[in-house]
């Protein structure tokens, strides 16, 4: 078995399994802690609040825009960019189609892929650079923050290096990093990609129950 | 023997429900909350970053309770245990520099309710005996007199007599079967007793009956502020039992921030049962009576006014439109300040900070943001502050910054601008 | 480390194939036009094709000319001049700096740190700087691999390894190119204020920047910093324009623009890399206290007095030469 076959085959399967199982375990673990039932008469719906909280925090509030511009541009650029790259890059669609899903969908044209990558890379670099140069960020950041950023960056960089599809070793490097990233994800703060809906939802529910329009 | 740190940690863990856990799990250390916190904005000090204030509790959770925590402990990857020195160091962050105003929740991409989590964290501090002295003193007062400022029923009776004379209306104490039982904040009774007269005028005009309990006149709940569930329960129980004994339809929470949430939402959970009466906020009551046509508006106050949004009433209480409707009716020159409404800055004294002597200097510094907001309204003559606590913080703050501005309560303004009884509704 | 390990492991099982988007040139030409070369074949035809002096670089092609020969000249410049000599420039700079460091040592703050700091760069300026720095490093490394891999890497680590690196570097370089344009615009907006040349800069030049002793006055930015700023901006524009031409070759209608672009791109980029090494030296080990300005945004007061006295006076309203006054001074 070639190294590429190994990182795309057994190692990928293992990493994906760890990713799914550990992430589920962690999510269930958080939910299972539970909260005491609130018996005060509600003024609004907690369930609606849960959904509203999730939607409301997708949209930044204008009054903070100026002070948080680097974060908004970097954050949205990176996250939206990465989402588009992962699910609309032609080689990603092929991989998902052949190995997991068995169906495909239209991919981005090459120029759009390159543009999106540029945006996603810019965003990630901006976020990390802010992490090392803002006194607030320097105070609150820990190792996990930096490892998560760098691992994601290396996954993206190796992916971009492999774009020519001419060398198996470049593709294998990318896949190896993807596998490491998948295994690291559920044990780290990268999990925010899943826990965000719990967090937004629960505060939304608390507010919603009190009849507060977020 | 259990150490203070162990007691605190145990309480932290007990208080970490799935909500707090998901907050700790979702925080990505983006630091954006610092941009919303007035203590950070006023001082520029990174330690006032809201999420940083939660650090010891977050660590306790990640070490002892979070999924994979035992695995991480085994591998030596778990965070360090929380120490007493650290908790003492964090004290000023938990008590002095958090108004529990929840402005940070607005900006947080994860929607984390840091204010609510701070109150859970304070429970740990209180249990371990690490709460600040100033607040502990309020607790002593409450235990002796039911009021954090030591206001006795004697003092209240004197103020009632005064207001009866001023308005010519009778204010009945302990009246059985009244529609409303009103509660007050100590600082209203001692500092702004006109509010008693204003209530008398408003309810008389609206034709509803009301009363004040001679036992449970105090609305503030220092137990909630300091993080002591047993004390909070004791205070709530006093009000609830008095109201049920008097057989009133509703208890009115005054123009005071935390009092409303304490009795309306925390109370039933503390007592473990629902009440036999409703709890309403005075602004809701006045607004409803106004809309029912029972409180017709008369000649408007022509001064240029603006409105301060008390955090616990607006951002965390949901009463955003009501005070504005009432102000529009009462004032012909009402101008909003910058950030008005949901994103308004706290006065700096919320969340027990005003009762905390240690925090006085910091509180005054934080008020500078309010000063900027007020200075941003040209030719401002008065500011309406519908919260007794905010009001006294405003008066101290305006004094400190040598500003000359009248501070008004909302009920008083509405009472003053009522239509004359024979006047046609305008 | 990780990347290296990852490269080392799979290299043995390497298989090379044409790029994913390659077209097979053999397709469909089995039945090409017969007699394609025609009946006559003599030097006259080729002379007509050339139609110019082959020794003259970038000679203009007359209207209607079928073939240009500048490609051959471009190849000569690239192989014999650029690839052979240009790479030495950064090496020489590093050598000179090492010698300078050994002789002169780091420039210490006279009188040591005061412990008091004043703000120098805002957060957004710092983020713009580090953003550019990050993109510059990525592009610099990948660019050097593309340009010099064949002469520096291939002879020692093998053609195969160089081919892998070159493929990766090429893709990375192309992708990060547009990001550089964005970084450049952002950097310009954040730093253009204070970077215009002033009279005080002349004195700085006469005193050789104080690198060889003596005190130099300057405002927020000294002559060296200002020059670096404009080198980055102008050099950056050159690299951006030529880079965009290479990335989208159909933008130009003459192949000679592409040839010129590759040469100017390489000259500009290696030049900037050389100066950047000097910039990094002064910003880190070369001068005590400099790094604070970009990491923390604040510099020590004594650093400011020494290197940017006029700026210090503007910002603080205090004299940079007067002895420390007490707090209650008017």
């Amino acid at each position: 078995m070639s190294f590429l076959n190994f990182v795309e085959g057994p190692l990928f399967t293992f990493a994906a399994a760890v990713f799914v199982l550990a992430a589920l375990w962690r999510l269930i673990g958080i939910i299972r802690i539970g909260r005491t039932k609130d018996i005060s008469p509600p003024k609004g719906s907690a369930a609606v609040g849960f959904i509203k909280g999730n939607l409301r925090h997708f949209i930044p509030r204008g009054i903070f825009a100026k002070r948080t511009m680097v974060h908004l541009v970097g954050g949205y650029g990176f996250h939206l960019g990465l989402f588009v790259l992962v699910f609309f890059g032609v080689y990603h669609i092929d991989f998902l189609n052949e190995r997991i899903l068995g169906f495909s969908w239209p991919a981005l044209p090459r120029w759009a892929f390159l543009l999106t990558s540029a945006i996603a890379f810019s965003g990630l670099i901006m976020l990390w650079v802010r992490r090392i140069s803002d006194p607030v960020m320097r105070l609150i950041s820990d190792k996990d923050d930096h490892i998560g950023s760098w691992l994601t960056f290396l996954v993206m960089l190796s992916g971009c290096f492999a774009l020519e599809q001419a060398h198996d070793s470049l593709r294998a490097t990318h896949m190896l990093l993807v596998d490491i990233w998948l295994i690291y994800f559920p044990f780290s703060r990268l999990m925010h990609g899943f826990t965000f809906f719990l967090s937004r939802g629960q505060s939304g529910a608390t507010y919603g129950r009190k009849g507060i329009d977020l | 023997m259990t150490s203070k740190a162990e007691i605190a940690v145990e309480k932290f863990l007990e208080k970490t429900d799935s909500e707090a856990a998901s907050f700790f799990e979702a925080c990505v250390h983006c630091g954006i909350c610092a941009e919303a916190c007035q203590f950070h904005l006023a001082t520029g000090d990174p330690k006032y970053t809201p999420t940083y204030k939660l650090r010891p509790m977050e660590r306790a959770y990640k070490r002892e309770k979070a999924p994979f925590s035992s695995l991480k402990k085994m591998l030596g990857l778990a965070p360090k245990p929380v120490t007493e020195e650290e908790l003492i160091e964090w004290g000023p962050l938990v008590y002095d520099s958090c108004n529990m105003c929840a402005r940070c929740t607005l900006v947080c991409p994860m929607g984390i309710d840091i204010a609510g989590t701070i109150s859970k964290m304070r429970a740990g501090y209180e249990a371990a005996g690490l709460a600040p002295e100033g607040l502990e003193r309020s607790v002593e007062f409450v235990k002796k007199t039911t009021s954090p400022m030591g206001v006795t029923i004697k003092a209240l009776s004197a103020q009632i007599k005064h207001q009866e004379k001023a308005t010519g209306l009778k204010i009945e104490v302990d009246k059985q079967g009244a529609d409303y039982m009103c509660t007050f904040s100590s600082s209203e009774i001692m500092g702004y007793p006109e509010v008693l007269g204003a209530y008398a005028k408003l309810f008389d005009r609206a034709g509803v009956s009301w009363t004040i309990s001679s036992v449970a006149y105090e609305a503030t709940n220092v137990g909630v502020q300091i993080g002591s569930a047993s004390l909070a329960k004791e205070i709530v129980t006093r009000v609830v039992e008095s109201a049920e004994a008097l057989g009133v339809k509703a208890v009115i929470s005054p123009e005071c921030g935390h009092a409303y949430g304490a009795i309306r939402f925390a109370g039933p959970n503390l007592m473990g049962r629902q009440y036999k009466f409703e709890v309403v906020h005075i602004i809701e009551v006045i607004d409803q009576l106004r809309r029912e046509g029972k409180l017709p508006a008369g000649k408007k106050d022509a001064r240029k006014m603006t409105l301060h949004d008390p955090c616990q009433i607006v951002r965390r209480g949901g009463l955003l439109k009501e005070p504005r409707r009432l102000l529009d009716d009462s004032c012909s020159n009402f101008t909003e300040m910058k950030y008005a409404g949901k994103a308004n800055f706290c006065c700096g004294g919320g969340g027990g900070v005003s009762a905390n002597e240690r925090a006085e200097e910091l509180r005054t510094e934080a008020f500078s943001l309010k000063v900027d907001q007020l200075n941003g309204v040209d030719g401002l003559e008065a500011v309406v502050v519908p919260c007794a606590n905010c009001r006294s913080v405003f008066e101290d703050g305006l004094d400190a910054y040598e500003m000359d501005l009248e501070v008004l309560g909302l009920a008083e303004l509405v009472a003053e601008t009522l239509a004359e009884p024979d006047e046609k509704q305008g | 480390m990780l990347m290296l390990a990852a490269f080392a492991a799979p290299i043995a099982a390497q298989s090379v194939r044409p790029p994913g988007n390659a077209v097979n040139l053999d397709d469909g030409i089995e039945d090409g036009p017969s007699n394609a070369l025609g009946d006559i074949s003599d030097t006259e035809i080729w002379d007509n094709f050339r139609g110019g002096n082959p020794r003259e670089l970038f000679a203009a092609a007359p209207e209607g000319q079928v073939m240009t020969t500048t490609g051959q000249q471009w190849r000569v410049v690239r192989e014999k001049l650029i690839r052979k000599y240009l790479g030495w420039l950064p090496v020489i700079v590093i050598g000179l700096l090492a010698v300078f460091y050994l002789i002169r040592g780091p420039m210490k703050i006279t009188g040591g740190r005061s412990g008091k700091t004043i703000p120098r760069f805002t957060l957004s300026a710092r983020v713009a700087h580090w953003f550019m720095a990050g993109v510059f490093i990525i592009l610099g490394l990948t660019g050097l691999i593309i340009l010099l891999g064949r002469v520096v890497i291939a002879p020692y680590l093998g053609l195969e390894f160089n081919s892998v690196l070159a493929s990766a570097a090429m893709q990375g370089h192309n992708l990060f190119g547009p990001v550089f344009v964005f970084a450049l615009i952002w950097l310009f907006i954040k730093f253009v204020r204070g970077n215009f040349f002033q009279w005080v800069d002349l004195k700085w030049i006469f005193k050789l920047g104080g690198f060889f002793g003596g005190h130099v006055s300057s405002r927020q930015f000294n002559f060296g910093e200002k020059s670096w700023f404009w080198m980055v901006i102008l050099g950056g524009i050159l690299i951006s324009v030529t880079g965009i031409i290479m990335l989208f070759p159909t933008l130009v209608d003459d192949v000679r623009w592409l040839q010129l672009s590759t040469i100017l791109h390489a000259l500009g980029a290696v030049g900037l890399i050389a100066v950047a090494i000097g910039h990094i030296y002064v910003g880190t080990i070369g001068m005590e206290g400099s790094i604070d300005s970009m990491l923390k945004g604040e510099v020590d007061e004594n650093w400011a007095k020494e290197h940017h006295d006029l700026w210090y006076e503007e910002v603080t309203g205090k004299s940079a030469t007067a002895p420390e006054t007490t707090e209650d001074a008017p």
Side-chain angles (χ1 to χ4, degrees):
Chain A
M1 184 185 284
S2 75
F3 187 74
L4 177 63
N5 286 340
F6 174 67
V7 292
E8 279 194 353
L11 189 61
F12 177 77
T13 312
F14 172 73
V18 170
F19 174 79
V20 171
L21 295 176
L24 269 177
W25 176 273
R26 186 156 164 192
L27 279 180
I28 292 167
I30 296 164
I31 296 165
R32 265 194 49 200
I33 295 171
R35 42 195 301 196
T36 38
K37 195 174 157 14
D38 190 344
I39 59 167
S40 65
K43 254 184 126 173
S45 160
V48 172
F50 191 97
I51 296 161
K52 258 185 157 172
N54 262 297
L55 298 177
R56 187 62 190 84
H57 286 279
F58 268 119
I59 307 149
R61 281 171 210 264
I63 58 149
F64 298 110
K66 215 175 143 196
R67 292 198 65 90
T68 58
M69 193 48 88
V70 170
H71 253 125
L72 294 183
V73 174
Y76 279 94
F78 166 65
H79 282 101
L80 293 176
L82 185 65
F83 178 83
V84 172
L85 293 181
V86 169
F87 293 106
F88 293 95
V90 61
Y91 303 128
H92 293 157
I93 296 175
D94 288 349
F95 184 83
L96 291 171
N97 178 22
E98 284 159 25
R99 302 219 169 223
I100 303 170
L101 299 172
F103 58 88
S104 80
W105 54 93
L108 284 179
R110 188 179 154 81
W111 64 267
F113 184 85
L114 290 182
L115 188 71
T116 312
S117 315
I119 292 169
F121 270 117
S122 302
L124 182 57
I125 297 172
M126 276 163 88
L127 292 181
W128 186 74
V129 158
R130 173 157 188 196
R131 201 173 273 297
I132 57 160
S133 47
D134 179 351
V136 165
M137 306 292 287
R138 286 164 70 87
L139 179 71
I140 64 177
S141 297
D142 58 18
K143 268 188 223 139
D144 186 12
D145 294 317
H146 294 286
I147 298 172
S149 304
W150 272 92
L151 203 50
T152 308
F153 176 75
L154 289 178
V155 168
M156 288 166 63
L157 191 69
S158 63
C160 129
F161 282 168
L163 265 183
E164 204 182 18
Q165 293 277 327
H167 298 276
D168 282 353
S169 59
L170 292 176
R171 187 181 165 103
T173 308
H174 179 55
M175 284 310 299
L176 177 66
L177 285 163
V178 167
D179 294 343
I180 295 170
W181 188 87
L182 283 173
I183 294 169
Y184 185 72
F185 187 101
F187 302 99
S188 70
R189 205 164 280 118
L190 293 176
M191 258 306 269
H192 75 275
F194 293 133
T195 51
F196 81 91
F197 88 94
L198 283 179
S199 163
R200 286 177 183 179
Q202 301 221 48
S203 73
T206 304
Y207 275 73
R209 199 169 184 287
K210 292 182 180 172
I212 303 165
D213 190 26
L214 282 169
Chain B
M1 208 184 82
T2 35
S3 71
K4 283 186 174 183
E6 279 165 359
I7 298 169
V9 165
E10 197 180 319
K11 198 74 177 175
F12 288 165
L13 296 177
E14 181 198 317
K15 286 279 172 184
T16 309
D17 53 8
S18 66
E19 185 186 34
S22 61
F23 295 156
F24 295 142
E25 296 281 358
C27 178
V28 283
H29 295 172
C30 75
I32 236 175
C33 46
E35 305 301 329
C37 178
Q38 67 196 64
F39 291 102
H40 173 73
L41 293 177
T43 64
D45 194 330
K47 75 178 178 198
Y48 295 129
T49 304
T51 185
Y52 188 66
K53 297 171 188 168
L54 300 175
R55 206 39 80 78
M57 186 171 173
E58 180 192 347
R59 280 238 315 279
Y61 163 75
K62 293 210 163 147
R63 185 177 167 81
E64 310 290 349
K65 198 172 181 176
F68 303 125
S69 55
S70 42
L71 179 73
K72 284 185 180 172
K73 235 176 172 174
M74 241 161 55
L75 297 171
L77 294 170
K80 290 189 308 254
V82 179
T83 63
E84 186 177 331
E85 294 75 56
E86 190 184 359
L87 289 173
I88 291 168
E89 193 195 327
W90 244 263
L93 298 183
V94 178
Y95 282 99
D96 304 13
S97 65
C98 181
N99 293 133
M100 309 218 272
C101 79
R103 203 167 184 261
C104 46
T105 304
L106 293 185
V107 76
C108 177
M110 299 293 164
I112 295 171
D113 181 16
I114 290 173
T117 317
I118 282 283
S119 79
K120 289 172 177 166
M121 198 169 167
R122 286 184 181 183
Y125 269 75
E126 165 63 16
L130 292 169
E133 274 175 34
L135 282 168
E136 296 282 13
R137 202 161 312 134
S138 309
V139 174
E140 294 302 310
F141 272 129
V142 168
K143 284 184 176 155
K144 270 188 227 150
T145 66
T146 79
S147 144
M149 287 166 76
V151 178
T152 57
I153 180 64
K154 247 188 190 164
L156 174 62
S157 303
Q159 298 287 36
I160 290 176
K161 283 220 180 77
H162 232 76
Q163 289 302 314
E164 284 180 329
K165 207 177 274 174
T167 56
L169 295 165
K170 182 93 186 107
I171 299 174
E172 285 180 89
V173 175
D174 290 335
K175 181 183 175 183
Q176 280 288 331
D179 294 329
Y180 297 123
M181 177 182 119
C182 292
T183 56
F184 298 91
S185 149
S186 286
S187 52
E188 280 181 311
I189 299 169
M190 299 317 290
Y192 323 106
E194 316 81 54
V195 76
L196 298 168
Y199 279 22
K201 267 170 98 176
L202 291 170
F203 292 135
D204 174 67
R205 184 61 192 275
V208 294
S209 62
W210 70 294
T211 189
I212 301 172
S213 161
S214 63
V215 188
Y217 48 85
E218 178 63 50
T220 60
N221 193 323
V222 73
V224 166
Q225 286 178 325
I226 201 166
S228 162
S230 59
L231 181 62
K233 181 182 171 184
E234 194 183 317
I235 296 169
V236 167
T237 307
R238 187 186 301 133
V239 175
V240 171
E241 284 175 354
S242 308
E244 289 177 350
L246 290 173
V248 297
K249 288 191 199 115
V251 164
I252 293 182
S253 185
E255 291 182 30
C256 166
H258 74 277
Y260 174 64
I263 191 157
R264 174 69 177 80
F265 295 108
N269 294 304
L270 290 164
M271 290 182 68
R273 69 171 175 90
Q274 295 205 349
Y275 313 144
K276 293 176 188 141
F277 54 87
E278 261 187 281
V279 176
V280 277
H281 194 272
I282 183 69
I283 295 176
E284 281 180 291
V285 176
I286 301 176
D287 180 62
Q288 198 192 339
L289 293 172
R290 159 77 34 95
R291 280 189 291 161
E292 285 168 4
K294 291 178 183 166
L295 290 177
K299 195 164 181 291
K300 291 182 180 182
D301 194 320
R303 284 179 293 175
K304 186 152 188 177
M305 289 189 192
T306 191
L307 172 71
H308 165 70
D309 294 277
C311 320
Q312 306 301 328
I313 293 172
V314 180
R315 191 160 39 243
R316 298 187 84 205
L319 298 181
L320 180 70
K321 296 191 201 89
E322 290 84 348
R324 292 186 158 70
R325 278 202 290 255
L326 292 172
L327 251 178
D328 277 335
D329 285 350
S330 311
C331 173
S332 57
N333 203 355
F334 167 47
T335 314
E336 294 277 20
M337 57 172 100
K338 197 179 176 189
Y339 304 128
K342 268 180 235 172
N344 211 326
F345 281 114
C346 174
C347 61
V353 174
S354 62
N356 182 352
E357 284 157 32
R358 190 175 68 186
E360 199 174 316
E361 202 181 318
L362 187 60
R363 186 179 77 217
T364 309
E365 210 175 337
F367 192 77
S368 66
L369 296 171
K370 194 49 79 180
V371 170
D372 291 345
Q373 281 184 292
L374 295 172
N375 284 336
V377 183
D378 278 339
L380 188 65
E381 288 165 284
V383 54
V384 177
V385 182
C387 163
N389 183 48
C390 298
R391 209 166 151 180
S392 47
V393 173
F394 259 73
E395 284 181 348
D396 288 352
L398 292 174
D399 215 37
Y401 288 88
E402 290 168 0
M403 281 176 80
D404 191 24
L405 199 62
E406 194 172 344
V407 184
L408 299 168
L410 187 56
E412 289 139 81
L413 182 67
V414 175
E416 271 164 35
T417 54
L418 271 183
E420 293 300 319
D422 46 2
E423 204 178 315
K424 282 271 184 283
Q425 197 176 326
Chain C
M1 279 285 286
L2 192 70
M3 294 286 286
L4 276 180
F7 272 121
I11 205 82
Q14 172 73 350
S15 80
V16 181
R17 42 170 195 277
N21 57 351
V23 178
N24 192 341
L25 291 174
D26 293 335
D27 287 349
I29 59 164
E30 297 116 77
D31 305 315
S34 61
N35 198 16
L37 290 176
D39 293 326
I40 23 170
S41 166
D42 56 27
T43 50
E44 212 178 322
I45 292 175
W46 294 108
D47 278 346
N48 288 341
F49 272 157
R50 281 208 178 98
N53 180 358
R55 277 168 202 85
E56 197 181 348
L57 289 183
F58 319 122
E63 282 285 320
Q65 190 180 298
V66 184
M67 175 181 161
T68 62
T69 55
T70 53
Q72 172 61 16
Q73 291 141 1
W74 169 77
R75 219 181 77 83
V76 170
V77 171
R78 191 173 145 85
E79 298 298 328
K80 299 277 187 278
L81 295 173
I82 290 181
R83 274 193 163 160
K84 215 165 174 181
Y85 300 112
L86 198 58
W88 287 105
L89 187 59
V91 179
I92 290 167
V93 171
I94 292 172
L96 286 176
L97 286 173
V99 171
F100 183 81
Y101 185 77
L102 288 176
I103 296 170
R104 178 81 164 75
M107 295 170 77
K108 295 269 184 210
I109 299 173
T110 327
R113 287 173 190 257
S114 68
K116 276 182 278 178
T117 58
I118 48 173
R120 180 152 169 85
F121 293 122
T122 62
L123 176 69
S124 56
R126 264 138 58 209
V127 174
H129 169 267
W130 289 114
F131 184 77
M132 172 53 104
V135 176
F136 190 92
I137 289 169
I138 292 169
L139 285 169
L141 287 177
T142 52
L144 287 175
I145 290 171
I146 297 167
L147 185 68
L148 302 173
R150 192 60 189 260
V151 289
V152 176
I153 297 168
Y156 308 101
L157 298 168
L159 281 169
E160 172 100 350
F161 187 75
N162 184 51
S163 155
V164 172
L165 275 190
S167 165
M170 191 72 204
Q171 295 302 321
H173 201 79
N174 286 351
L175 199 146
F176 271 91
V179 184
F180 178 82
V181 180
F182 167 61
L184 190 67
I185 295 169
W186 194 14
L187 192 82
F188 179 78
I189 294 169
K190 283 291 164 194
F191 285 90
V192 68
R193 258 180 61 189
N195 262 316
F196 291 104
F197 292 108
Q198 289 152 320
W199 281 115
V200 67
D201 297 326
L202 266 182
K203 284 189 230 158
W204 193 95
I205 302 169
F206 285 132
K207 290 184 178 178
L208 296 172
F211 281 99
F212 300 95
H215 177 81
V216 282
S217 273
S218 62
R219 303 192 127 170
Q220 184 173 13
F221 298 114
N222 63 36
F223 179 76
E225 289 165 309
K226 287 174 185 171
S227 309
W228 172 228
F229 173 79
W230 289 109
M231 275 188 249
V232 170
I233 297 302
L234 298 177
I237 292 173
L238 177 77
I239 296 176
S240 301
V241 171
T242 52
I244 289 168
I245 290 175
M246 286 188 278
L247 203 52
F248 303 101
T250 50
L251 286 177
V252 289
D253 54 5
D254 192 325
V255 71
R256 284 167 302 172
W257 284 113
L258 294 172
Q259 291 159 351
L260 184 63
S261 290
T262 60
I263 286 163
L264 291 178
H265 195 82
L267 287 173
V270 177
L272 279 183
I273 290 171
V275 189
I277 293 168
H279 170 71
I280 293 167
Y281 170 79
V282 180
T284 55
I285 57 167
M287 187 183 283
E288 184 189 0
S290 291
I291 190 80
D292 293 350
S293 63
M294 265 308 160
L295 273 187
K296 299 172 187 159
E298 296 187 337
V299 289
D300 194 89
E301 284 201 355
N302 284 351
W303 182 93
K305 282 182 199 169
E306 187 165 359
H307 301 293
H308 298 274
D309 48 354
L310 302 176
W311 172 72
Y312 172 82
E313 287 173 0
E314 267 169 49
V315 175
T316 61
K318 291 189 270 186
S319 163
T321 45
E324 191 63 34
T325 49
T326 48
E327 288 297 320
D328 51 15

